[in-house]
Amino acid sequence: MSEMLYFINEEKGVVVAKMTAEYVYNALHDLYTKIAKTSKYGGVIVDEKVFDKFVAPITAIATCSEDDAFDVEIGKAIARKKALAKLALKKAKLCWAIADIYNKETIRIVEMAQRESAKAVSANDEVYDYIKEIFK
């Protein structure tokens, strides 16, 4: 299936470009896969629900000015570029959503490390206290 469908109304001088939801999903999933592969730590698994927020058909409209002559190819090119700009914005928003997940996961791991460090200090204190008791 083509990534872009075009609807043309020459009478009104309008071209509508529609990017299918399937294409949008594939583009976003490809981006996620790229992020996961390039992540130094292998990546955090992102629930499909994250994608669901962003997956929807993209529609973009190019309207010819009354002062200009309508040209279907120019209209299609403008509508296509507008649709691609909307897709790029969705990709940026997905990156921010994934970054937020990574940040939350990093905070969780840091908190875990702090708890384990506190346990280590406590255990060392217990050993020190025990040794003090033995050699009184």
Side-chain angles (χ1 to χ4, degrees), residues 59-106:
T59 303
I61 301 170
T63 306
C64 183
S65 169
E66 292 178 8
D67 300 333
D68 293 329
F70 181 71
D71 184 310
V72 172
E73 293 308 312
I74 290 174
K76 285 169 79 172
I78 292 169
R80 176 180 172 76
K81 294 236 182 250
K82 286 182 172 184
L84 290 171
K86 288 181 178 183
L87 177 62
L89 182 59
K90 281 186 184 238
K91 285 180 171 182
K93 287 180 178 180
L94 176 61
C95 286
W96 284 113
I98 292 171
D100 186 50
I101 292 167
Y102 273 82
N103 288 338
K104 287 177 182 172
E105 198 61 20
T106 299

Side-chain angles (χ1 to χ4, degrees), residues 45-52 101:
I45 296 172
V46 176
D47 192 315
E48 286 292 318
K49 291 176 187 170
V50 172
F51 295 109
D52 292 347
I101 292 167

